[in-house]
Amino acid sequence: FAGYISQVLKNYTDHACDGEYVSLRCPHRTTISIQSSFYGRIVPSHQMCPSRYPHSYATLIKEDVACSVGTSLQKMLDECQDRRSCQFLVNSRLFGADPCPGTGKYLIVWYKCRPNEYKSKVACEDDKLRLSCKKSMVIAIYSAVFGRTQGGSLECPYQTLGMPMIECQSATALQLMIKRCHGKRSCSIYASTYEFGDPCYPGIRKHLNVIYTCDNTPFLLPVDETQPPALNSSMEPVGVSTEMALLSNILAAYAFIT
């Protein structure tokens, strides 16, 4: 279970040079959620993706190290979003007009693995958030945000009082939700600055948004064996009681993962 959850919580990064394949893959019962993407070049070729041209030819062309394509994120969303895996050959033709012909480029992708079935709950500031699962199922926290997001929340309309629409989020919200709720059948927590601290300027109304999934007892959750183990590979299979003891100490596991 810890291996499965560590793969879900992990932020993945993959990259490929021009002429290479980029390949993204998520564990069973999860799909790719693209977080960000970059295609172009911002470091010299001797640091990343060396030029394929002969050195004598490369010296005739001034390498552009301030080159980027604005369509890379949309392209990655089109190719990979909500799929379990995707693979394609990286080249400038995929992204439209080439902003720096003659300069070798590369693609970097940041993504997470989102559970196929998940729930979302919101609590306005100072309200109590309650999460629960059916009998024989436990909570697996995917993400948690406490603060104010650019899009706002329909459940918690902002009283702006002339304040600009800016984002502010607690850096410890996910860690706290894992400690409080992860691996339990039910839990509750107040969406308050007492619990999460105040990441925003005074007077900005905040909310807590948690995405989670309910799954069967831990030992039934699948782990993708093709992925490297998230914890010590020498660990032997353990019973349900030992798994739940591990979940009660999930902060230690989360610190290891990060």
Side-chain angles (χ1 to χ4, degrees), residues 15-58:
H15 82 279
C17 309
D18 275 343
E20 297 178 348
Y21 282 92
V22 65
S23 180
L24 312 185
R25 192 164 188 264
C26 281
H28 294 289
R29 297 169 65 183
T30 67
T31 53
I32 296 167
S33 175
I34 300 295
Q35 304 296 300
S36 186
S37 175
F38 171 84
Y39 178 73
R41 177 171 291 281
I42 54 174
V43 296
S45 57
H46 69 269
Q47 294 183 12
M48 187 172 186
C49 295
S51 173
R52 292 178 295 167
Y53 298 113
H55 180 71
S56 58
Y57 176 78

Side-chain angles (χ1 to χ4, degrees), residues 5-13 111-113 227-228 257:
I5 291 303
S6 70
Q7 292 180 55
V8 170
L9 292 176
K10 181 179 178 182
N11 290 303
Y12 291 87
T13 304
Y111 68 101
K112 294 185 72 171
C113 294
Q227 295 282 348
I257 294 164

Side-chain angles (χ1 to χ4, degrees), residues 149-244:
T149 56
Q150 193 69 36
S153 168
L154 294 177
E155 296 89 344
C156 309
Y158 293 126
Q159 299 169 350
T160 58
L161 300 177
M163 296 293 291
M165 291 296 291
I166 56 175
E167 288 193 5
C168 47
Q169 299 180 17
S170 168
T172 60
L174 176 60
Q175 186 177 357
L176 180 59
M177 288 305 303
I178 288 174
K179 179 182 179 182
R180 191 67 62 88
C181 299
H182 209 60
K184 298 179 180 179
R185 185 182 167 192
S186 64
C187 69
S188 62
I189 189 170
Y190 279 97
S192 68
T193 56
Y194 175 79
E195 295 280 6
F196 297 94
D198 194 344
C200 305
Y201 289 109
I204 295 180
R205 186 162 173 79
K206 296 160 284 292
H207 68 275
L208 174 63
N209 184 10
V210 177
I211 296 176
Y212 69 103
T213 183
C214 290
D215 234 315
N216 296 326
T217 47
F219 69 97
L220 296 178
L221 288 175
V223 176
D224 190 342
E225 296 178 353
T226 63
Q227 295 282 348
L231 300 179
N232 192 328
S233 59
S234 64
M235 291 178 65
E236 297 294 329
V238 290
V240 178
S241 60
T242 310
E243 288 283 6
M244 296 309 292

Side-chain angles (χ1 to χ4, degrees), residues 55-110:
H55 180 71
S56 58
Y57 176 78
T59 56
L60 298 176
I61 302 176
K62 182 174 175 58
E63 189 173 59
D64 190 342
V65 292
C67 170
S68 64
V69 175
T71 58
S72 64
L73 176 58
Q74 187 58 54
K75 181 61 178 177
M76 292 306 305
L77 291 171
D78 294 342
E79 293 288 336
C80 300
Q81 185 77 352
D82 297 328
R83 300 182 183 181
R84 190 183 163 213
S85 64
C86 69
Q87 184 181 57
F88 58 89
L89 185 67
V90 175
N91 61 69
S92 60
R93 293 188 297 276
L94 287 172
F95 301 98
D98 190 339
C100 47
T103 294
K105 292 167 283 291
Y106 51 84
L107 174 69
I108 306 177
V109 184
W110 296 266

